[in-house]
């Protein structure tokens, strides 16, 4: 039997945590043969609620759940962590400017980056879910100089899964028949859900839907899905966000299926003309615990415009956190 690995989760008493922790502990993320130790971080006032979640985790009697650690100190929660899912963040409040939001999150992700740098496993895989996820990932990464920049990723997988589901619904085909769509850029309204390479049952997706629907309805429906969930549920996406986090980490750790790719927010190496260093959604394949950008895909003028617009937004966010001294 395998040795347990350490999985740190921040914001563990929150909505996403309430779904995510149970999926990790049941083996959905790292496999049904991989025991896990959960290392849960919360702010001090939420530790009581977190303890209630821990009680429920224990009550599930998950065979793979080897131990649970809780703390309000990132130096404890990230100690020797092999995986870190950074979910807790400062939400945008009414009237908040982007600079205020980025500054408030800098107060969370800078110390967390420093703590990961100091105490996490040298091979830790970090996924940032808490918004603004791409730039929060950049802040954590830039404050962890002893770790490889590629160890820091941001979640665009929920957008990717939403894009699959919307296309499945439109074409009347099962989600499993859809391959190789890409979410380029920021997890925000500027994201570009790209169907140009996607297939449905092995046939080009764009031959099966009309161009006007794709350009004028599909892209904005995917990008605005989060707002539609809030409108319907009165709360933001939680179980679907947790499921996407599971998918992201599972594929990164265990690999993507042959001939298929997924979307991950990762540091740009300049591929596809995206400014180096931005944490940007790319098409990737994963193998042996490493991801690689899918190279050589054709980029139409339409795609180019969308890819550059979302890169521009991320560049502005980076400029803003530079001004604040966070990176
Ligand atoms: P909740 O407000 O339910 O939970 C967040 C938890 O984080 C709270 O329990 C809070 O006490 C904790 N927290 C705050 N600061 C912390 C810190 N410094 N250290 C540790 N814990 C801290 O939010 P939830 O619905 O779970 O969403 C969490 C984050 O995910 C939000 O930022 C949200 O915007 C983001 N999302 C990102 C998505 C993505 O696709 N990347 C989609 C879903 C979600 O909207």
């Amino acid at each position: 039997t395998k040795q347990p690995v350490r999985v740190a989760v921040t914001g563990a008493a929150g909505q996403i945590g309430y779904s995510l922790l149970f999926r990790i502990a049941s083996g959905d993320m790292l496999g049904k043969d991989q025991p896990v130790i959960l290392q849960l971080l919360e702010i001090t006032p939420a530790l009581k609620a977190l303890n209630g979640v821990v009680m429920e985790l224990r009550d599930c009697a998950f065979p793979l759940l080897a131990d649970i650690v809780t703390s309000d100190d990132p130096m404890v929660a990230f100690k020797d962590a092999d995986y870190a899912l950074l979910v807790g963040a400062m939400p945008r409040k009414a009237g908040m400017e982007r600079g205020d939001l980025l500054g408030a999150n800098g107060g969370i992700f800078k110390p967390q980056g420093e703590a990961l740098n100091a105490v996490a496993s040298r091979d830790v895989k970090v996924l940032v879910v808490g918004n603004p996820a791409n730039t929060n990932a950049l802040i954590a990464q830039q404050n962890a100089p002893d770790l490889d920049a590629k160890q820091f990723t941001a979640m665009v997988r929920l957008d990717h899964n939403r894009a699959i589901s919307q296309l499945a619904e439109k074409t009347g085909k099962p989600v499993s028949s859809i391959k190789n769509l890409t979410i380029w850029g920021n997890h925000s309204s500027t994201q570009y859900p790209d169907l140009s390479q996607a297939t449905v049952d092995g046939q080009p997706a764009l031959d099966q839907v009309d161009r006007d629907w794709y350009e004028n309805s599909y892209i904005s429906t995917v990008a605005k899905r989060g707002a539609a969930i809030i409108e319907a549920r009165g709360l933001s996406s939680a179980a679907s966000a947790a499921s996407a986090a599971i998918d992201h980490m599972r594929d990164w750790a265990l690999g993507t299926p042959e001939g298929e790719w997924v979307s991950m927010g990762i540091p740009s190496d300049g591929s596809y003309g995206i400014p180096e260093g931005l944490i940007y959604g790319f098409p990737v394949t994963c193998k042996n615990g490493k991801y690689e950008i899918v190279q050589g895909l054709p980029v139409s003028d339409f795609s180019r415009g969308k890819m550059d617009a979302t890169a521009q937004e991320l560049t502005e966010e980076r400029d803003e956190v530079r001004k604040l001294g966070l990176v």
Side-chain angles (χ1 to χ4, degrees):
T1 56
K2 293 186 175 175
Q3 285 297 109
V5 295
R6 295 176 181 275
V7 182
V9 179
T10 76
Q15 278 207 93
I16 293 175
Y18 194 67
S19 175
L20 180 61
L21 301 178
F22 297 84
R23 300 277 309 273
I24 298 171
S26 70
D28 284 352
M29 186 169 94
L30 296 171
K32 298 286 180 189
D33 60 345
Q34 178 59 65
V36 295
I37 298 169
L38 287 175
Q39 305 192 155
L40 308 178
L41 183 71
E42 259 297 350
I43 53 173
T44 316
L47 286 176
K48 178 165 180 265
L50 180 59
N51 190 46
V53 178
V54 169
M55 289 161 70
E56 284 204 70
L57 279 164
R58 295 203 192 285
D59 290 351
C60 292
F62 288 119
L64 291 171
L65 185 52
D67 199 3
I68 307 173
V69 175
T70 64
S71 182
D72 56 3
D73 180 356
M75 295 288 278
V76 174
F78 294 156
K79 180 85 181 115
D80 298 325
D82 300 293
Y83 300 87
L85 293 90
L86 309 188
V87 179
M90 180 73 78
R92 188 187 288 262
K93 299 199 184 96
M96 231 184 190
E97 300 293 334
R98 182 156 69 182
D100 302 333
L101 180 72
L102 291 167
N105 279 290
I108 297 174
F109 288 87
K110 187 176 195 291
Q112 290 187 0
E114 291 165 348
L116 286 163
N117 193 56
V119 299
S121 158
R122 296 304 84 185
D123 297 320
V124 65
K125 289 179 163 58
V126 182
L127 166 62
V128 177
V129 174
N131 282 321
N134 301 53
T135 297
N136 286 342
L138 182 73
I139 296 169
Q141 177 207 59
Q142 292 297 305
N143 287 283
D146 301 335
L147 299 172
D148 188 332
K150 291 186 80 177
Q151 290 171 252
F152 289 81
T153 68
M155 189 163 93
V156 293
R157 187 61 175 264
L158 179 54
D159 308 298
H160 180 98
N161 288 346
R162 287 166 171 167
I164 290 176
S165 139
Q166 291 295 323
L167 181 60
E169 206 173 305
K170 180 72 176 179
T171 56
K173 298 282 172 57
V175 289
S176 57
S177 67
I178 294 170
K179 312 267 188 268
N180 295 349
L181 57 77
T182 303
I183 304 295
W184 300 92
N186 202 1
H187 168 67
S188 76
S189 58
T190 66
Q191 66 176 262
Y192 172 40
D194 175 12
L195 291 185
S196 65
Q197 308 304 311
T199 58
V200 182
D201 275 340
Q203 300 305 310
L206 288 180
D207 292 351
Q208 298 173 59
V209 296
D210 71 86
R211 186 82 203 174
D212 178 63
W213 173 80
Y214 169 52
E215 288 186 12
N216 299 313
S217 167
Y218 176 76
I219 291 174
S220 64
T221 299
V222 172
K224 292 183 188 148
R225 184 69 164 178
I229 301 284
I230 293 174
E231 170 63 26
R233 213 171 79 87
L235 289 166
S236 58
S237 320
S240 56
S243 198
I246 294 281
D247 289 345
H248 176 114
M249 281 304 212
R250 184 200 57 230
D251 287 347
W252 188 2
L254 305 179
T256 44
E258 199 54 48
E260 288 177 35
W261 70 71
V262 295
S263 307
M264 285 172 69
I266 59 168
S268 173
D269 61 359
S271 293
Y272 295 100
I274 302 307
E276 211 172 320
L278 294 180
I279 307 280
Y280 188 95
F282 280 101
V284 300
T285 56
C286 306
K287 203 175 181 174
N288 301 324
K290 304 243 184 285
Y291 57 78
E292 236 174 77
I293 297 175
V294 178
Q295 297 293 344
L297 301 175
V299 176
S300 66
D301 289 347
F302 178 77
S303 291
R304 189 75 258 166
K306 297 268 180 210
M307 288 159 67
D308 288 346
T310 189
Q312 180 56 32
E313 181 181 51
L314 283 167
T315 301
E316 288 167 17
E317 290 184 18
R318 180 169 68 180
D319 291 346
E320 196 90 43
V321 293
R322 274 193 184 143
K323 245 191 291 169
L324 294 166
L326 295 167
V327 302

